[in-house]
Amino acid sequence: MATLSGHLDFDRPTAGKPCATWYEIHGDLSAARPLIVLHGGPGIPHYYLGPIARLATTHQIPVVLYDQLGCGNSTHLPEKNGDAAFWTIQLFLDELDNLIRGLGITEYDLLGHSWGAILASEHAVCQPPGLRRLILFSPPSSMKLWVEAANWLRHQLPRDVQDSLSRCEENGDYESEEYHASVDEFYKRFLCRTQPTPAELAASFEALGKDTTVYMTMNGPSEFNVTGVIKDWTIIDRVHLIARPTLLINGYYDEAQNSVVQPYFDNLKDVTWVKFAESSHMACLEERDRFIRVVGQFLKA
């Protein structure tokens, strides 16, 4: 399937320099309603979501992947590290609107994964006229519930790993090899259970390691200790404003445990919830074929 990539200017005067959003289109935007894909993080580029582009060939659904500002192939702003007034949810909502306008898209479906699901749900509650269907893939509904679920899963780790995490956190050693190794044990169980780590995910994490500006400013040092811009975020009181058919996806071993996803299911009018029994947070990598079938069927319904 032919692909087209490029950059769209994104005017943000407070950035202090010109900014651009990198995008990649799979399929023909004029042939069918496209699916726009929002990656997680914040600040973890799109590479790990690349397999979703298969929808362009399996279901003839054009797919738009892009890197949000501050990561991947889009403009990086390391000089804005720690600038909570700059790195806001609204910044990324404006970037999404700019992408939709810039690509001349009038009708579209939206898939957001993890942090990307925060953006997708915030976009949807505004009831944009072009949005037709919404997919919330391993979505937080509030960061309070997210952190509670992460810490519940943490207690399922081997005792020595739990002790290592606690010891490093007490000493503020978030950048130590010991802490990273212990977090990796959590990730192997509750982020992506496919081993060795899929190349797409390894590429995303390698890119994150080179520039943690967005992640550290908006999230904080770890999944267990969210101290950044989004620490108090919730959409539970506004979910009922989403007026489009919505597909919820999570995995049995997911960081987005049922307790995190349930508020969407309870408050949406037109909703389907599919759980992937062999997956954690990356069903698109852990159960690739089923993921494409489920998403494709929902978008074509």
Side-chain angles (χ1 to χ4, degrees), residues 231-263:
K231 64 183 175 63
D232 297 319
W233 177 85
T234 181
I235 203 166
I236 294 173
D237 59 339
R238 293 174 289 135
V239 169
H240 66 281
L241 297 173
I242 296 175
R244 291 290 183 258
T246 302
L247 172 64
L248 302 174
I249 292 173
N250 72 329
Y252 182 81
Y253 305 97
D254 205 330
E255 289 183 90
Q257 286 286 293
N258 287 355
S259 59
V260 179
V261 180
Q262 191 72 44

Side-chain angles (χ1 to χ4, degrees), residues 128-198:
L131 179 63
R132 292 294 173 263
R133 287 179 172 258
L134 177 67
I135 300 172
L136 300 177
F137 172 20
S138 296
S141 57
S142 86
M143 292 313 295
K144 178 178 181 292
L145 292 177
W146 179 267
V147 171
E148 286 176 356
N151 281 286
W152 180 77
L153 291 171
R154 170 177 170 155
H155 290 302
Q156 300 181 31
L157 295 170
R159 172 51 60 185
D160 62 325
V161 177
Q162 293 185 50
D163 291 344
S164 173
L165 288 169
S166 297
R167 182 168 55 252
C168 290
E169 288 166 352
E170 288 169 5
N171 295 327
D173 292 335
Y174 294 107
E175 297 304 317
S176 68
E177 288 187 15
E178 179 185 357
Y179 192 71
H180 284 298
S182 299
V183 170
D184 283 346
E185 290 301 315
F186 179 86
Y187 285 165
K188 288 175 184 177
R189 292 166 172 81
F190 307 120
L191 183 85
C192 184
R193 297 173 70 83
T194 300
Q195 296 299 319
T197 301

Side-chain angles (χ1 to χ4, degrees), residues 38 40 43 62 66 79 84 111-112 153 165 179 186 217 222 234 237 293:
L38 286 74
Y66 76 101
E79 63 273 23
L111 182 153
L153 291 171
L165 288 169
Y179 192 71
F186 179 86
T217 305
S222 76
T234 181
D237 59 339
R293 287 197 303 272

Side-chain angles (χ1 to χ4, degrees), residues 221 228 267:
N267 292 287

